[in-house]
Each structure stands twice: as structure tokens, then as C-alpha cells.
Amino acid sequence: MSGPNTSFDPKQVAVLSAEAITAMVATARAAVVAAADLAQLKEVRLAHLGDRSPLALANRDIGALPPAAKAEVGKRVGEARAAVKAALDSRQIELEQARDEFVLAEECVDVTLPAARSPLGARHPLTTVMERICDIFVAMGYDIAEGPEVEAEWVNFDALNVPPDHPARTMQDTFYVTSSESGVVLRTQTSPIQIRAMLDRQLPIYVVAPGRVYRTDELDATHTPVFHQVEGLAVDEGLTMGDLKGTLDHFAQEMFGPGIVTRLRPSYFPFTEPSAELDVQCFVCLGVSVDNPDVPCRTCGSEGWIEWGGCGMVNPRVLQAVGIDSSKYRGFAFGMGIERTLMFRNGVTDMRDMVEGDVRFSLAFGLES
Ligand code: DAH
């Protein structure tokens, strides 16, 4: 058994004194407290508990102590390291909590905030007016009829008793597909749907037909080369102009208000005989503005009536062209422009607003026009 090692140099191991160790712990604790985030704390852990930290070096020096001193100093250094580790660990927990709270606050979604709304758009008033017209006639027992926009010249003109030398057939009004000899046109009116309805359907016939039509007009405030019409056709036994007038009055009341009536003025259309221009009573002034300069009316120009379309009794020649017995059946028909209807009904002054497709124009009409 060897005696106690008394040959160590007390100066060399001064680093192991209680004061020195306590100071190391204090320095480490101060650094731990000063660590503001987890990254800094990691550096502090390395500096005060890592292999090259003062306490690790002190631990290594224990080996140089006399055996009698080893236990005491070993305990001191061990406790010191444990204390530093405890400080680091508790600071670690604190900083992790702080980080979690920060992340939660940063990334939190407030589900009660109003969502960004995507714009809904709006249906075009031409569409809603055409639907309204269809509803009015469906309620009277009419069917909706359709026809192609690229139409046979025979259907668009000849069958409707529009002779080949009629001005409406010249290149000025009609878009011909390929050439004027092609026999195929972009329909210039919805009246050819009358012909198709009479060729396709069983008698009696009650149809209403909204649709797009084409004419070689320049786009300006009152013209557009593409516009819309609605056509009405009834073919039955014993129909009279009284039936036509009653139907149009009902139509006018549904469109413009109770009590509004229509007026027929003699006119000419090849496909009707007799033919009439169809006027509707001014639904704004009810005629009060006529000869009354004190209360001028912008809607009817103080005329009391507004031109709305054309109508008449179907020309027997048209019935014959589609093989209907004109001695037994009679028909009435009418047609009007949808753009024109919107202009005076809703005060649209420029036709171009209707074709440009700016949603702000449509939005102003709301859901029902
Ligand atoms: N198709 C005619 C036009 O475009 C309008 C018209 C007039 C239609 C009289 C009809 C009618 O059905 O009977 O000018």
C-alpha cells in the first residue's frame, strides 16, 4: 500500500479549489441566463459543458490529485457539472416554450376573419330579359323554339315571302357565308325560326323564339352587327288579329306594368298580311307628356308611345310554303329587338355598353332586370 501522494503542486491544481469551481459554475449560470435563444444556448452548452469547457478540464485534472483529495474534489466537480447541466436544461425548456409560443402566435389562423370573396360576376341583362320573355309566354302555354344562326337563305328569306330582289337580301344587310351564291347566310332575323317551327311541329303551334341575329351594320351607339330578337308565332284554326292584340297587351303588361297597352299601326312585312308596327304605351309618362311641354318625357320623347317591333297575321303564302292548309289555319306573328327593348326599358343609351362585356354594366342590373 502506498502512502498519500504529497507530491502534487498546489498551484497546479488551484483550478480545482472550491472557489475556482464555484466561479466556473457562476460564470456558466450567467451565460445560461444571458442566452436569448436556443442557438445561443447551444453555444453556451458547448462552452461550459463541452469537452474543452473549464469544468471538463478540471475533471481531467482530478487524476493528478493525491488519492485522498480525489474523492472530495471529484464530488465538487461532479456537483458543479450537474448544476451547470441543470441550469442549461431548465433554460432549454424555457427557450423551447418561448419558441413554441412564438411559432403558435405567428402561424395562427384566425378562422373568424372574413374570407377574401371571389367576385360572383353577373348575368347579362340581355340573357335575363330573354328568359323573362320566355317565362311570360311559357305561362301562356307557348313552347320555346330554336333555330341555327347559320341559316339557309331559303329559310331566312324565300319561305318568308321575301323575294330575291328584296333590298334586305343584298350584300349591304346580309352576311353571306363564303359568297352571295352560297345560299347560306347568318340569319338576319329570328323569323326563319317560324319556318322551322312550322316544318317540324304538329299543329296547332304556339312558340316563342329568342335568338342572336346578324346584319352588316357598323357598331355605334344605336347599331350593332350582332344583336338579339324574339319571335312569336301562333298557328291555329280561327285565329284573328284580336288574338294577336290581346297576346301583345298581356306581354306588354308583364314587361312594363299593369294597364300598359299596345297599339298597332298599318305597315308592311312580306311574311305577314295584314302587317303592323307595334308600339307600346309609354310606361313612364303613360302619355301625360304628349302636348304638355311642362312635363317632357325622355323615355318616349313625349310621344306617348314607343316603337317596339313588328307583327301581323301570317301571310297565307308563308303557310303554303311550309305545306300548311291556309284555308283551314291562320297564324299571327310578332318580332322585336331585345337590345332596343333594354334601351328604352332600362334607360341604356349606348348600344356598345351591351356588347363590350364589362361586368360592371351587368352588375348594375342586379339579378332580375
Ligand atoms: N323580322 C322582322 C325584322 O327583323 C320583325 C318582324 C316583323 C317579325 C313582323 C315578325 C313580324 O314576326 O310579324 O324586322
Side-chain angles (χ1 to χ4, degrees):
M1 283 288 185
S2 60
N5 182 0
T6 50
S7 64
F8 69 90
D9 179 350
K11 272 188 203 151
Q12 257 184 350
V13 293
V15 69
L16 295 177
S17 70
E19 296 74 41
I21 299 296
T22 308
M24 284 176 201
V25 173
T27 312
R29 281 205 171 113
V32 166
V33 170
D37 57 36
L38 288 165
Q40 284 180 18
L41 191 67
K42 195 174 171 187
E43 281 169 24
V44 172
R45 189 180 289 275
L46 204 65
H48 294 276
L49 219 52
D51 289 348
R52 308 197 56 77
S53 64
L55 277 171
L57 297 177
N59 198 44
R60 232 171 280 161
D61 287 344
I62 293 172
L65 289 178
K70 270 186 185 168
E72 187 198 332
V73 176
K75 188 168 175 244
R76 186 185 302 149
V77 173
E79 280 171 2
R81 294 178 87 194
V84 171
K85 185 171 183 311
L88 278 163
D89 290 350
S90 82
R91 184 71 181 143
Q92 175 90 18
I93 290 167
E94 256 174 46
L95 288 174
E96 278 174 0
Q97 269 174 5
R99 179 207 52 199
D100 289 351
E101 273 164 31
F102 175 79
V103 167
L104 274 178
E106 256 320 85
E107 296 180 1
C108 136
V109 175
D110 183 350
V111 292
T112 65
L113 281 176
R117 289 181 173 224
S118 30
L120 273 183
R123 303 183 74 209
H124 199 281
L126 287 172
T127 306
T128 53
V129 164
M130 284 194 289
E131 278 184 8
R132 170 113 190 226
I133 293 172
C134 288
D135 286 350
I136 293 167
F137 281 93
V138 166
M140 285 194 272
Y142 282 57
D143 279 348
I144 312 290
E146 281 179 338
E149 292 174 23
V150 179
E151 184 56 285
E153 194 176 6
W154 183 83
V155 181
N156 193 80
F157 291 128
D158 299 69
L160 286 163
N161 194 36
V162 180
D165 56 357
H166 193 282
R169 287 175 78 140
T170 64
M171 291 293 277
Q172 279 86 54
D173 295 315
T174 308
F175 283 113
Y176 281 82
V177 175
T178 65
S179 76
S180 59
E181 277 81 51
S182 67
V184 183
V185 300
L186 295 185
R187 70 181 178 202
T188 59
Q189 49 189 353
T190 45
S191 301
I193 306 176
Q194 290 188 31
I195 301 300
R196 290 185 173 270
M198 289 188 283
L199 287 171
D200 293 349
R201 289 166 192 257
Q202 301 285 323
L203 290 161
I205 291 166
Y206 289 86
V207 290
V208 66
R212 191 176 290 144
V213 300
Y214 302 83
R215 288 188 198 173
T216 56
D217 285 326
E218 294 289 330
L219 180 64
D220 63 26
T222 52
H223 295 88
T224 156
V226 184
F227 57 105
H228 298 76
Q229 289 185 335
V230 62
E231 196 81 12
L233 172 72
V235 184
D236 205 340
E237 290 180 51
L239 287 179
T240 69
M241 266 196 122
D243 298 309
L244 170 62
K245 178 73 164 67
T247 305
L248 292 172
D249 281 349
H250 176 75
F251 183 21
Q253 277 154 35
E254 292 291 314
M255 287 293 285
F256 302 106
I260 299 297
V261 293
T262 58
R263 175 177 82 170
L264 306 186
R265 284 181 290 118
S267 185
Y268 171 77
F269 296 102
F271 32 89
T272 39
E273 183 57 39
S275 299
E277 296 290 335
L278 163 63
D279 296 343
V280 64
Q281 191 183 9
C282 180
F283 52 92
V284 174
C285 75
L286 301 171
V288 170
S289 67
V290 181
D291 299 328
N292 197 348
D294 297 339
V295 282
C297 179
R298 276 197 290 162
T299 302
C300 65
S302 301
E303 296 280 333
W305 296 92
I306 303 160
E307 284 181 27
W308 195 16
C311 64
M313 300 305 289
V314 178
N315 193 321
R317 297 177 68 153
V318 173
L319 296 176
Q320 286 149 22
V322 293
I324 291 177
D325 182 353
S326 61
S327 66
K328 189 172 172 203
Y329 286 95
R330 279 197 243 172
F332 66 72
F334 56 88
M336 55 272 294
I338 306 286
E339 279 80 357
R340 194 181 143 62
T341 304
L342 259 186
M343 285 179 99
F344 68 76
R345 182 172 178 259
N346 298 81
V348 181
T349 49
D350 196 325
M351 189 87 93
R352 285 166 292 202
D353 289 338
M354 291 188 218
V355 302
E356 270 166 3
D358 189 327
V359 73
R360 289 169 299 182
F361 172 76
S362 297
L363 277 171
F365 287 81
L367 286 178
E368 170 56 89
S369 55

